[in-house]
């Protein structure tokens, strides 16, 4: 641990706490995750490609990533709106609404799944008004988007909200003094300042939606090729004792998650580029 | 463009920010709004700009009532205390912003905008920094870019909120002289807010001294310094000593009746003598001596009343007198101003 | 008479701030609230409405069912093991990361955050690969007649994995913001390392810990995907509350499913309340 020792820091306990951190992290996260990599490595490249590009698996990527993209897009749009309204406009019950935004973080996904399926089913509270217009939500790919929107909702709001709070009111006043109207001020001055946080929130919501399982399976209908998400494909393979197949598909998902994680980190770096 | 401020009143909750303020600013002048924090000077500036709405009263530009005009329509240039530069835009884009957001019909062409921005950058002596971002500039440079941006829209009025407040002492002094020079070149009616008396005295054509939402006095720097209307103005423009009762001084600036009169003398208007030249000198004891670079501050206790006063001497005078702590000396106030008691500071 | 006048003045002032026209503000607020109602309020209300649809008796009967009670017991045990373990880890990691500088710090933080970006299904799968019959340790476990996956230990392990970062990621920025000054002062005054931690650091991070623990607990009790993979779905033995909700729902026993779900929804509401209070306290402490 000599290598890590910071000079002129008198606080004690770096060795034991760092040691424990690395041990616990290795035992519970790194070694189990590496099991996935090793299991996949046991598969020949040819077999691996065959498994992860099987038509049913490809269809599941399309459903999963497509729906996640749509849900993250909806969340980006409405997340900015909700954050803006929460910060800027007074209305009764604002604090309650503000606290409620975190509900998807707190509500177990299985509960979210069964209640969304009920509300958006043909005779549910919302579904009954959509059904006559030919819009079926529950048990269709649209239902997947609804569930993914639900679980991703807090991400954009919570990343954009503090940025709006910290916007300097002088910036908007300066734009107004220079003759810009509200729309110009938003488009040219405020939006560029919010954009990094919007993209970060979008990426976080997307990442969460791609991996989500619990809330979706109740509302998706789970029809192979149509409304089957990739995590469900993994579970199906597991239930058929196809461990290698499950592992191969899981590896593809894991790599996708890491790419998104990398993008999020780059976005956060990018968002600090104008800072003093 | 002249500015008329008529009976402006502004209340924030139970706090009266401006109390029936009336002020006239002639065209082409550089005016300082001077006062302590909470005196209402920034609020007045923001009301003139249209960033804040007065509860009652009117603002006239060249005789035209602008009270109902939106800030966008007032054609004012406003330089914010912390500059409020758009940090995601280059210096060039910051300065060009006001031109770029004009409606298509009145918007200058790209090359016109380009020429205009470069002219302004030359004016503020920063033509080499057009492609930099605000974060890459020093405080003084940001300040000048903020000014160039405000001037780009050819404002009828230039308003500056504590323009030098966030800068360090040396840059501040430099920019002060530069602003004065710039104003002499472009002659746009300008109002700036400051709490620094020295800044106001050095830069402004006219000083408006404000306190507790009211204007205490308005006039040229010489007028407010030499003939302060009341103890507040006197005290705010320099250290001042007060003597209870009327000092018998020839040529004293007399205000009000005899009873409860208080005499005010600036600390550099107090002379110290080893022996009394005449009967107006007061016997005092030196309590404390503090050397402050070029000057020396001597704290004395007046024998007759026990009141403490401060005298500011040049180093030479101090040396010649050879003053020591606890010595008995005589003080002679010059330039005494007398105000009655209810005009308290 | 003066009080109402000042309120009106303040209101008039609010309206003149550089902002959008009132109509736009109203419109945007309504759209935002309708969106939140559709996606948050209605689903939440539906849980309770469905749970009590057939009356309080049916509701209580559903909760008193032995399988339900055993699932509640398992969920409580799981949280009681996972949360304290992650709490100890979170505090240790935050101390090492926030109070010291060392190379690779950002990498370590990223690794700690890793479980958040792994799909819950994969989080379960990796433990099956390790401890399952075909897994690395499967034969050895078989030989010693021990079961980890499709048994309680697997459920606990998967839960620890998915809730791993919660407390650490809350404490690291908080402790970084607080700096080292107070700890250094305590040491200069003669306190030992542990005294410094318990008397100076701990009071300062108290609300941060509460915040992290409540979120960690909510996820531990509510986790579905990962636990579903490792549980084996043995009724009355390896079913947690969320898994039991699924079984009841798939058996078309909707009222019972929603009755059990209402317990979890209630837990979520308590979580939100505690979270809001803790957030407010942390902000206050940092003087924001």
């Amino acid at each position: 641990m000599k290598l890590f020792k910071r000079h002129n820091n008198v606080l004690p306990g770096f060795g034991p706490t760092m040691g424990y951190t690395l041990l616990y992290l290795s035992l519970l996260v790194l070694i189990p995750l590496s099991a996935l990599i090793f299991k996949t490595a046991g598969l020949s490249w040819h077999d691996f490609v065959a498994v992860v590009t099987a038509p049913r698996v490809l269809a599941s990527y399309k459903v999963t990533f497509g729906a996640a993209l749509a849900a993250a897009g909806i969340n980006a749009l409405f997340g900015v709106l909700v954050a803006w309204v929460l910060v800027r406009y007074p209305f009764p019950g604002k604090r309650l609404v503000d606290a409620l935004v975190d509900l998807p973080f707190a509500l177990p996904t299985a509960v979210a799944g069964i209640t969304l399926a009920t509300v958006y089913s043909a005779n549910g509270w919302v579904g009954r008004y959509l059904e006559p217009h030919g819009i079926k939500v529950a048990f269709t790919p649209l239902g997947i988007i609804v569930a993914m929107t639900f679980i991703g909702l807090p991400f954009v709001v919570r990343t954009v909200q503090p940025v709006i709070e910290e916007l300097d009111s002088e910036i908007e006043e300066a734009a107004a003094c220079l003759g810009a109207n509200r729309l110009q001020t938003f488009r040219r001055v405020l939006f560029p300042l919010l954009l990094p946080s919007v993209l970060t929130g979008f990426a976080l919501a997307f990442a969460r939606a791609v991996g989500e399982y619990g809330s979706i399976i109740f509302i998706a209908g789970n029809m192979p090729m149509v409304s089957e998400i990739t995590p469900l494909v993994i579970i199906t393979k597991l239930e058929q004792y196809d461990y290698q197949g499950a592992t191969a598909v899981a590896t593809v998902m894991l790599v996708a998650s890491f790419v998104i994680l990398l993008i999020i980190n780059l976005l956060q770096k990018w968002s600090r580029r104008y800072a003093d | 463009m002249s500015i008329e401020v008529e009976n402006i009143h502004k209340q924030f909750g139970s706090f009266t920010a401006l109390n029936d303020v009336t002020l006239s600013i002639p065209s082409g002048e550089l005016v300082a709004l001077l006062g302590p924090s909470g005196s209402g000077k920034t609020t007045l500036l923001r009301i003139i700009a249209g960033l804040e709405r007065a509860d009652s009263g009117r603002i006239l530009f060249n005789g035209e009532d602008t009270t109902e005009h939106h800030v966008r329509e007032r054609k004012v240039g406003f330089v914010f205390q912390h500059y409020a530069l758009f940090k995601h835009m280059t210096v060039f884009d910051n300065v060009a912003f006001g031109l770029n957001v004009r409606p298509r019909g009145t918007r200058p062409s790209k090359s016109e905008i380009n020429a205009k921005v470069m002219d302004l950058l030359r004016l503020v002596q920063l033509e080499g920094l057009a492609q930099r971002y605000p974060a890459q500039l020093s405080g003084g440079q940001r300040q000048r870019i903020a000014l160039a941006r405000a001037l780009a829209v050819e404002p009828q009025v230039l308003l500056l909120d504590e323009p030098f407040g966030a800068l360090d002492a040396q840059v501040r002094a430099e920019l002060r002289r530069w602003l004065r020079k710039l104003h002499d070149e472009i002659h746009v009616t300008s109002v700036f807010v400051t709490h620094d008396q020295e800044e106001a005295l050095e830069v402004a054509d006219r000083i408006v001294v404000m306190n507790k939402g009211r204007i205490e006095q308005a006039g040229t720097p010489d007028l407010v310094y030499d003939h302060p209307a009341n103890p507040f103005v006197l005290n705010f423009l320099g250290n001042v000593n007060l003597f209870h009762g009327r000092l018998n001084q020839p040529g004293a600036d007399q205000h009000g009746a005899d009873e409860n009169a208080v005499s005010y003398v600036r600390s550099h208007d107090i002379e110290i003598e080893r022996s009394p030249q005449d009967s107006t000198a007061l016997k005092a004891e030196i309590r404390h001596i503090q050397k402050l670079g070029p000057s020396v501050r001597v704290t004395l206790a007046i024998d007759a009343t026990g009141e403490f006063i401060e005298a500011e001497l040049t180093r030479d005078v101090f040396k010649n007198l050879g003053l020591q702590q606890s010595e008995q000396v005589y003080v002679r106030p010059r330039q005494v101003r007398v105000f009655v008691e209810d005009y308290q500071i | 008479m003066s009080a109402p006048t000042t309120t009106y003045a303040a209101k008039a002032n609010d309206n003149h701030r550089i902002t959008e026209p009132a109509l736009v503000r109203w419109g945007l607020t309504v759209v935002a609230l309708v969106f939140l109602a559709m996606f948050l309020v209605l689903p939440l209300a539906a849980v309770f409405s469905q749970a009590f649809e057939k009356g309080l008796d049916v509701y209580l009967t559903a909760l008193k069912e032995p399988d339900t009670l055993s699932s509640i017991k398992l969920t409580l045990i799981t949280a009681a093991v996972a949360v304290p373990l992650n709490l100890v880890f979170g505090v240790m990691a935050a101390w090492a990361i926030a109070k010291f500088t060392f190379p690779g710090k950002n990498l370590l933080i990223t690794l700690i955050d890793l479980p958040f970006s792994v799909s819950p299904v994969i989080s379960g799968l990796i433990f099956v690969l390790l401890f399952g019959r075909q897994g690395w340790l499967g034969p050895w476990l078989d030989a010693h007649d021990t079961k980890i996956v499709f048994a309680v230990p697997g459920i606990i392990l998967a839960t620890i994995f998915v809730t791993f970062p919660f407390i650490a990621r809350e404490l690291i920025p908080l402790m970084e913001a607080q700096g080292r000054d107070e700890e250094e002062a305590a040491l200069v005054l003669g306190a030992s390392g542990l005294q410094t931690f318990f008397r100076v650091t701990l009071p300062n991070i108290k609300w941060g810990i509460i915040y992290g623990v409540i979120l960690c607990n909510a996820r531990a009790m509510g986790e579905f995907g990962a636990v579903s993979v490792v549980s084996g779905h043995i009724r009355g033995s390896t079913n947690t509350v969320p898994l039991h909700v699924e079984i009841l729902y798939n058996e078309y026993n909707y009222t019972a499913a929603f009755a059990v779900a209402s317990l979890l929804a209630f837990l979520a509401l308590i979580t939100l309340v505690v979270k809001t209070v803790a957030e407010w306290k942390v902000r206050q402490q940092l003087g924001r």
Side-chain angles (χ1 to χ4, degrees):
Chain A
M1 285 292 122
K2 268 266 152 54
L3 178 75
F4 287 158
K5 193 102 191 164
R6 187 189 191 265
H7 303 294
N8 70 38
N9 188 345
V10 296
L11 297 191
F14 180 70
T17 52
M18 179 55 87
Y20 183 79
T21 300
L22 293 177
L23 180 73
Y24 191 80
L25 178 70
S26 305
L27 282 181
L28 283 150
V29 176
L30 301 183
I31 293 174
L33 268 179
S34 64
L36 188 73
I37 311 294
F38 281 109
K39 190 82 181 178
T40 313
L43 218 62
S44 78
W45 178 249
H46 182 91
D47 290 347
F48 176 79
V49 172
V51 170
V52 300
T53 59
R56 188 169 161 185
V57 179
L58 282 181
S60 83
Y61 299 148
K62 227 169 108 184
V63 170
T64 307
F65 287 89
L69 213 58
I74 293 170
N75 275 327
L77 187 69
F78 284 93
V80 172
L81 176 66
V82 169
W84 183 265
V85 168
L86 282 177
V87 176
R88 291 296 175 98
Y89 305 150
F91 59 89
K94 182 162 157 166
R95 292 185 71 120
L96 190 73
V97 173
D98 191 36
L100 203 64
V101 166
D102 286 324
L103 181 71
F105 283 156
L107 192 70
T109 53
V111 180
I114 62 169
T115 189
L116 285 172
T118 307
V119 169
Y120 285 89
S121 68
N123 47 14
W125 288 352
V126 177
R128 78 174 69 152
Y129 298 105
L130 300 175
E131 188 83 1
H133 302 287
I135 304 171
K136 279 174 89 98
V137 178
F139 317 122
T140 69
L142 210 53
I144 301 176
I145 296 176
V146 167
M148 286 177 168
T149 306
F150 173 84
I151 52 130
L153 196 146
F155 288 100
V156 179
V157 179
R158 292 301 185 225
T159 46
V160 175
Q161 198 176 9
V163 181
I164 297 179
E165 272 168 10
E166 272 160 37
L167 282 176
D168 190 355
S169 62
E170 282 191 353
I171 294 280
E172 285 160 75
E173 291 176 352
C177 282
L178 293 167
N181 62 35
R182 275 314 276 174
L183 211 60
Q184 285 172 319
T185 304
F186 188 80
R187 199 165 58 85
R188 288 169 176 262
V189 177
L190 299 180
F191 188 70
L193 295 175
L194 297 183
L195 184 64
S197 61
V198 176
L199 289 176
T200 304
F202 174 90
L204 287 168
F206 180 73
R208 175 72 209 266
V210 164
E212 177 58 14
Y213 172 71
S215 59
I216 297 173
I217 50 159
F218 295 99
I219 197 173
N222 306 324
M223 294 244 305
M225 309 299 290
V226 179
S227 59
E228 188 181 46
I229 54 169
T230 311
L232 184 61
V233 170
I234 297 173
I235 291 213
T236 311
K237 285 188 185 297
L238 262 184
E239 277 169 358
Q240 295 159 352
Y241 299 102
D242 178 7
Y243 281 30
Q244 297 227 308
T247 311
V249 178
T251 305
V252 171
M253 296 238 10
L254 197 65
V255 169
S257 308
F258 288 169
V259 171
I260 301 167
L261 190 68
L262 187 74
I263 292 171
I264 292 170
N265 278 331
L266 292 176
L267 276 174
Q268 270 160 355
K269 231 174 232 164
W270 182 59
S271 73
R272 285 191 289 268
R273 73 200 182 287
Y274 299 126
D276 303 56
Chain B
M1 166 99 24
S2 67
I3 306 171
E4 302 290 334
V5 175
E6 287 182 359
N7 309 100
I8 291 290
H9 194 96
K10 177 73 182 175
Q11 195 91 23
F12 290 114
S14 60
F15 175 72
T16 306
L18 291 171
N19 190 358
D20 196 25
V21 169
T22 298
L23 176 67
S24 167
I25 298 171
S27 187
E29 273 200 355
L30 177 54
V31 175
L33 298 180
L34 175 66
S37 56
S39 61
K41 54 192 194 306
T42 295
T43 307
L44 179 58
L45 193 77
R46 290 171 60 85
I47 289 175
I48 294 173
L51 291 170
E52 212 89 53
R53 191 192 184 88
D55 299 336
S56 62
R58 301 198 300 166
I59 303 285
L60 305 162
F61 284 0
N62 263 356
E64 189 194 348
D65 189 352
T66 65
T67 312
E68 292 305 317
H69 288 187
H70 190 270
V71 53
R72 275 200 305 281
E73 300 149 10
R74 291 200 188 190
K75 297 198 91 179
V76 296
F78 200 102
V79 176
F80 291 84
Q81 188 175 0
H82 299 103
Y83 323 132
L85 293 177
F86 306 130
K87 60 184 178 189
H88 61 289
M89 294 182 197
T90 60
V91 163
F92 183 95
D93 289 336
N94 262 284
V95 177
F97 183 85
L99 303 171
N100 279 327
V101 296
R102 286 203 186 154
R104 218 169 279 279
T106 56
R107 193 189 309 159
S109 73
K110 248 191 143 99
S111 60
E112 282 168 340
I113 291 178
N114 194 46
K116 171 119 204 194
V117 171
M118 292 322 278
D119 274 351
L120 281 163
L121 289 179
R122 247 190 307 282
L123 183 71
V124 299
Q125 299 159 3
L126 290 173
E127 57 266 58
L129 303 181
Q131 292 314 313
R132 298 274 187 93
Y133 284 93
Q136 299 168 299
L137 306 180
S138 73
Q141 289 171 332
R142 284 182 214 180
Q143 175 63 274
R144 284 187 274 165
I145 294 303
L147 196 60
R149 184 178 70 175
L151 290 173
V153 294
E154 290 172 13
Q156 310 170 320
V157 172
L158 185 60
L159 306 171
L160 306 100
D161 185 10
E162 296 271 4
F164 313 114
L167 301 169
D168 58 52
Q170 205 184 337
V171 181
R172 190 151 65 198
E174 220 170 90
L175 265 180
R176 225 144 70 181
R177 278 188 287 277
W178 176 79
L179 178 69
R180 179 67 247 184
K181 223 180 85 208
L182 184 79
H183 184 263
D184 292 341
E185 281 171 35
I186 58 176
H187 267 300
V188 57
T189 311
S190 306
V191 183
F192 74 100
V193 157
T194 180
H195 61 263
D196 183 342
Q197 36 122 349
E198 216 181 285
E199 199 165 282
L201 289 170
E202 181 180 338
V203 178
D205 295 321
R206 263 149 47 87
I207 296 179
V208 178
V209 184
M210 296 188 65
N211 182 35
K212 293 181 182 160
R214 289 178 170 281
I215 292 177
E216 298 282 355
Q217 190 176 10
T220 63
D222 286 346
L223 181 83
V224 294
Y225 192 81
D226 293 333
H227 302 286
N230 56 46
F232 177 83
V233 176
L234 177 61
N235 187 48
F236 201 73
L237 293 168
N239 293 329
V240 76
N241 294 296
L242 58 170
F243 298 87
H244 286 97
R246 202 179 278 281
L247 285 178
N248 238 343
Q249 278 289 313
D253 203 349
Q254 304 278 342
H255 293 258
D258 257 26
E259 68 267 27
N260 303 327
V262 182
S263 304
Y264 294 85
V265 185
R266 291 212 164 93
S267 30
H268 59 81
D269 283 332
I270 289 187
E271 268 178 73
I272 297 183
E273 297 167 347
R274 285 266 171 210
S275 53
Q277 304 263 325
D278 54 50
S279 62
T280 61
L282 300 163
K283 200 169 174 209
E285 187 190 299
I286 298 179
R287 288 297 175 87
H288 188 68
I289 296 171
Q290 200 180 358
K291 293 181 180 169
L292 304 160
S295 63
V296 181
R297 185 184 296 156
V298 182
T299 309
L300 306 114
I302 304 288
D303 264 19
T305 59
E307 284 176 314
F308 283 88
I309 63 163
E310 278 182 356
E312 226 175 283
L313 311 177
T314 64
R315 255 191 138 76
D316 284 347
V317 171
F318 176 77
K319 254 191 204 150
N320 289 340
L321 285 166
L323 299 177
Q324 300 286 331
Q325 196 155 332
S326 313
E327 266 188 299
Q328 293 286 333
V329 291
Y330 291 87
V331 299
R332 174 195 302 284
R334 293 174 303 201
Q335 289 280 342
V336 180
R337 292 173 187 83
V338 180
F339 297 97
V340 279
E341 184 77 40
D342 63 287
Y343 241 139
Q344 273 293 6
I345 293 177
Chain C
M1 274 312 284
S2 75
T5 335
T6 48
T7 7
Y8 285 127
K11 266 196 183 145
N13 176 45
D14 268 350
N15 289 343
H16 191 67
R17 238 191 68 164
I18 308 256
T19 181
E20 294 72 44
L23 204 66
V24 175
R25 279 180 290 157
W26 274 96
L28 293 178
T29 308
V30 168
V31 172
L33 291 181
V34 167
F35 173 77
L36 292 179
M38 295 249 303
F39 280 92
L40 298 180
V41 181
L42 287 183
L44 183 64
V47 175
F48 293 102
S49 151
Q50 294 282 327
F52 290 102
E53 204 183 15
K54 294 192 178 137
L56 191 63
D57 284 348
V58 179
Y59 177 81
L60 290 176
T61 313
L63 293 187
K64 278 190 217 142
E65 212 230 330
D67 286 351
T68 307
L69 291 177
S70 83
S71 76
I72 293 173
K73 198 174 137 202
L74 179 58
T75 290
L76 290 175
I77 290 171
T78 307
V81 177
V83 176
L85 281 175
N86 282 340
L87 172 62
V88 171
F89 163 74
V91 173
M92 294 257 204
W95 178 266
I97 290 170
K99 302 284 179 185
F100 298 86
T101 26
F102 54 89
K105 192 177 194 166
N106 286 330
L107 176 70
L108 184 58
I109 295 175
T110 307
L111 288 177
I112 289 174
D113 267 349
L114 211 53
F116 272 164
S117 40
V118 174
S119 169
V121 169
I122 299 176
S123 309
L125 171 68
I126 56 178
F127 290 102
V128 175
L129 294 180
L130 269 183
F131 302 113
R133 196 151 289 203
Q134 299 181 26
W136 283 355
L137 299 174
W140 186 85
L141 288 171
D142 253 7
H144 290 78
D145 209 17
T146 314
K147 267 189 98 160
I148 290 188
V149 289
F150 311 128
V152 175
I155 291 174
I156 291 174
L157 277 175
T159 304
I160 291 176
F161 183 92
V162 294
T163 60
F164 186 87
F166 275 103
I167 296 167
R169 70 147 35 188
E170 178 54 32
L171 291 183
I172 292 168
L174 179 64
M175 281 165 77
E176 267 177 350
Q178 285 170 345
R180 288 198 296 260
D181 295 357
E182 290 187 32
E183 282 80 8
E184 285 172 355
L187 291 172
V188 170
L189 292 169
S192 72
L194 284 178
Q195 280 174 325
T196 303
F197 176 77
F198 282 106
R199 287 167 183 249
V200 176
T201 312
L202 200 58
N204 274 337
I205 59 171
K206 183 176 67 188
W207 285 102
I209 288 181
I210 291 172
Y211 183 95
V213 164
I214 192 80
L215 286 182
C216 182
N217 181 65
R219 182 75 193 266
M221 291 190 170
E223 177 51 28
F224 178 78
V227 171
S228 168
V229 174
V230 295
S231 115
H233 302 278
I234 304 160
R235 261 187 113 133
S237 153
T238 61
N239 260 347
T240 61
V241 177
L243 296 179
H244 192 55
V245 169
E246 183 199 17
I247 288 179
L248 292 172
Y249 186 82
N250 285 345
E251 287 170 349
Y252 304 103
N253 192 351
Y254 292 144
T255 309
F258 277 101
V260 178
S262 75
L263 293 179
L264 293 171
F266 193 62
L267 172 75
L269 289 178
I270 294 172
T271 303
L272 287 185
V273 171
V274 178
K275 178 181 175 297
T276 306
V277 172
E279 219 162 30
W280 182 68
K281 291 273 184 186
V282 168
R283 268 183 188 233
Q284 215 178 25
Q285 218 168 23
L286 288 176
R288 284 192 210 134

